[in-house]
Amino acid sequence: MAEPALKLAPEEPLLSVNNIEVVYDDVILVLRGVSLEVPKGKVVTLLGPNGAGKSTTLKAISGLLATEDGEVTRGSITFEGEEIANKNPEDIVRRGIFQVMEGRRIVEDMTCLENLRLGAFTRRDGGAAIRNDIDMVYNYFPRLKERTGMAGYLSGGEQQMLAIGRALMARPKMILLDEPSMGLSPLLVKEVFGIIEQLCHDLGITILLVEQNARMALKVADFGYIMESGKIMLDGAKEDLINNEDVKEFYLGGDKERKSFKNLKSYKRRKRWL
Amino acid sequence: MSGNLLTQLLLNGLIVGTLYGVVAMCFVLIYKSTQVVNFAQGEFLLIGAWTCWWLVVEAGLPFWFSFPLTFVFMMVFGIALQMVVLRPLIGEPIISVIMVTIGMSLFFQSITKWIFGADVQPFPEIFPVKAVDVFGLQVQPAYLMSLVVSVLVMIGFAWFFKYSRMGLAMRATAFNQQVAQSLGISVKNVFAMAWAISAMVSALAGVVVGMVNGVSGALSFFGIKVFPAVIVGGLDSIIGAIVGGLIIGLLENFAEYVDGQWLHLGNLYTVAPFYVLIIILMIKPYGLFGTHKIERV
Ligand SMILES: Nc1ncnc2c1ncn2[C@@H]1O[C@H](COP(=O)(O)OP(=O)(O)O)[C@@H](O)[C@H]1O
Ligand SMILES: [Mg+2]
């Protein structure tokens, strides 16, 4: 079957989230009008403190929200020009969006190889192509090949690599990565981010990267959004964010104590023309 | 002589034990992938055996045709049961689901009795009845066939869960449903499939036992024997189910030997497995193969 004609105008983003509102358990309002865009082939990062609603945003896109009794109650999410809000996760994986959840979530009582084969669950292109891709993943993450035991015994860094490798096995157009640096040593964080950058470059996969480690994330990203309390507070191209005084102070600064944007007069001024 | 009797009984134990193991695997399959404790497992044997019996005896179809047809029927039956009865119960408390499966068990027992009567109905002879000689032991061909079928089913399960795409999906679902969904697996389909496979394989065991002992309501006792087997093995372990089934089968027959030689209490063998069950649970509360969470240090 030939690829369908390009559904997307060249300037239209691959994914666009338009003013969505997300509610858990019918009552807990968590996202209050979030909008963001991810252009094809780019790395976009979504930054913000714990509890801001970053993971919720990713789950809204991947449809996993429904597994936690959450729902997109307003706004729209379009992928390749088609509405995907509140569709079921299987459907969304088949459309080419794959979420690597927070905490890696590999299947602990399976081997690396079995985890990788699971990643290819939705594929229909046969054993040879899948074996080929397993080799490709092992090329990116050679140390996974040596691990033959249960994946639950892998180190945190190896589990993260396996989680990313498993995502690649689905041959997705877009990967949603939720806090890949969590719990990893600085050295490993560097390694994992290096690979993320490489993936985007080699395979043309579009990435939406959620991070608390803003410094690392802005290094690999082309564009960034900063989120707090269920709202996007600031957005901009990588250089703009890195050079922004507030971002510098509160997200990149060396001081341990991170204050909120909300208490900031200069931020409120800026908000008007956001 | 009594040594020979002992080996004979142990061989019987091995044969019936592998059958218990097969049914226990079916039970564990449902428990692991859908978290339902299926008290109607024994009735799957019953329904499968009666279906096959009816096709052969009443409808007059040849066995080689009735047997696969029984499979198809049980597959549809398992899926329908999951969709109609169990799917609406997802998210309900475990105790409600248990009550429903106990209800199903009673319902299927009564309805088969109502349709087919309470008498034992023999299967027409498919295998020769004359016992064959295996290493000096007298074994009925039907028993041999049972052993072969059980072992084949076990190999089939092992292959399915290790190598097939759906088998891996079922294991992922058993590990964590949200993780499975994030991989594009439809948990609904996995649930239906677990019930379908469980019903089909149990029916296979039902037909095998029916060919040896005749078909009757007694088949659902297999469902009760499965409990000590799976609890000994650990509720969530397929390997444990097989080992547990073997242990229970061997114990029953060993107890029968001990009783016949020395105790003369009569019928001790039917309860002996339950005593062993209690002892094992005192030593290993998760069963011999039950999983503990993987802890990394
Ligand atoms: N399943 C859920 N049910 C109810 N509330 C939730 C659920 N998941 C997250 N929340 C709430 O939504 C808010 C945002 O959470 P989350 O999206 O996980 O934030 P982040 O990923 O930015 O740390 C938090 O206040 C959290 O308590
Ligand atoms: Mg989060």
Side-chain angles (χ1 to χ4, degrees), chain A residues 50-51 53-56 59 102 178-179 182 210 212:
Chain A
N50 218 346
K54 305 180 298 295
S55 299
T56 300
K59 285 178 204 152
E102 198 173 315
D178 201 346
E179 303 212 21
M182 190 198 258
V210 159
Q212 291 205 46

Side-chain angles (χ1 to χ4, degrees), chain A residues 57-118:
Chain A
T57 307
L58 295 192
K59 285 178 204 152
I61 299 166
S62 67
L64 286 174
L65 211 51
T67 65
E68 298 183 4
D69 211 3
E71 197 190 352
V72 179
T73 50
R74 191 174 297 169
S76 70
I77 303 174
T78 55
F79 181 69
E80 299 187 303
E82 284 176 34
E83 177 64 42
I84 58 165
N86 296 322
K87 290 226 184 302
N88 67 36
E90 300 108 74
D91 182 20
I92 292 174
V93 172
R94 280 173 209 277
R95 283 166 188 265
I97 302 181
F98 200 102
Q99 177 170 1
V100 178
M101 283 188 283
E102 198 173 315
R104 5 261 185 222
R105 310 292 292 273
I106 49 150
V107 182
E108 291 174 5
D109 55 9
M110 287 189 184
T111 62
C112 284
L113 184 60
E114 287 171 331
N115 268 282
L116 293 179
R117 286 176 52 218
L118 263 180

Side-chain angles (χ1 to χ4, degrees), chain A residues 257-272:
Chain A
E257 203 184 341
R258 229 162 39 186
K259 289 174 226 148
S260 168
F261 266 118
K262 268 190 266 178
N263 313 326
L264 210 72
K265 275 214 185 80
S266 65
Y267 164 65
K268 285 202 172 113
R269 250 184 283 121
R270 186 170 298 109
K271 190 177 173 187
R272 257 179 272 129

Side-chain angles (χ1 to χ4, degrees), chain B:
Chain B
M1 177 63 222
S2 77
N4 203 356
L5 177 65
L6 181 63
T7 3
Q8 182 82 53
L9 280 171
L10 291 182
L11 181 69
N12 285 354
L14 183 72
I15 288 164
V16 75
T18 48
L19 265 178
Y20 288 159
V22 164
V23 183
M25 262 172 18
C26 294
F27 174 92
V28 169
L29 175 62
I30 287 183
Y31 177 74
K32 243 187 118 116
S33 44
T34 74
Q35 278 84 51
V36 172
V37 177
N38 182 19
F39 279 89
Q41 197 68 48
E43 281 66 35
F44 284 179
L45 278 81
L46 190 60
I47 295 170
W50 275 129
T51 306
C52 192
W53 178 88
W54 186 87
L55 289 170
V56 173
V57 174
E58 300 283 323
L61 297 169
F63 182 75
W64 61 263
F65 185 69
S66 310
F67 195 53
L69 206 58
T70 305
F71 261 41
V72 174
F73 171 78
M74 290 306 285
M75 182 178 78
V76 174
F77 175 74
I79 291 172
L81 202 60
Q82 201 279 325
M83 282 173 58
V84 177
V85 182
L86 292 139
R87 191 170 291 176
L89 289 169
I90 291 174
E92 297 294 326
I94 288 181
I95 191 72
S96 322
V97 183
I98 288 180
M99 292 318 279
V100 168
T101 63
I102 292 176
M104 277 170 12
S105 156
L106 295 174
F107 174 74
F108 293 135
Q109 273 178 37
S110 333
I111 202 160
T112 45
K113 210 162 264 176
W114 180 60
I115 298 175
F116 300 103
D119 300 329
V120 180
Q121 300 285 354
F123 250 96
E125 208 173 283
I126 288 144
F127 290 88
V129 271
K130 201 168 148 38
V132 291
D133 194 89
V134 181
F135 304 120
L137 296 169
Q138 296 300 303
V139 189
Q140 290 223 0
Y143 278 125
L144 268 187
M145 176 244 357
S146 154
L147 190 63
V148 170
V149 167
S150 302
V151 170
L152 285 180
V153 166
M154 285 168 186
I155 293 170
F157 262 62
W159 179 87
F160 178 74
F161 285 111
K162 193 93 190 104
Y163 299 109
S164 81
R165 175 175 165 274
M166 272 319 280
L168 286 176
M170 289 178 90
R171 281 167 66 195
T173 307
F175 173 74
N176 184 294
Q177 291 175 17
Q178 190 183 36
V179 170
Q181 289 183 69
S182 81
L183 303 171
I185 294 164
S186 159
V187 169
K188 273 186 193 166
N189 289 354
V190 164
F191 282 11
M193 189 157 201
W195 283 83
I197 294 175
S198 187
M200 280 160 59
V201 177
S202 299
L204 175 70
V207 172
V208 165
V209 179
M211 288 201 285
V212 177
N213 296 339
V215 187
S216 76
L219 272 175
S220 56
F221 279 120
F222 259 75
I224 297 169
K225 285 291 163 52
V226 156
F227 285 101
V230 292
I231 292 171
V232 164
L235 265 181
D236 57 358
S237 164
I238 299 260
I239 305 273
I242 297 173
V243 175
L246 276 173
I247 291 179
I248 299 302
L250 287 169
L251 268 176
E252 265 182 6
N253 281 275
F254 185 64
E256 186 178 352
Y257 174 76
V258 171
D259 189 53
Q261 294 286 311
W262 299 292
L263 297 174
H264 307 295
L265 296 172
N267 281 346
L268 172 73
Y269 60 94
T270 46
V271 287
F274 292 91
Y275 288 117
V276 174
L277 166 67
I278 292 168
I279 294 165
I280 288 185
L281 286 185
M282 283 188 326
I283 303 164
K284 295 206 75 168
Y286 293 99
L288 296 176
F289 294 85
T291 44
H292 311 258
K293 257 195 129 43
I294 292 178
E295 309 261 5
R296 280 189 298 121
V297 275

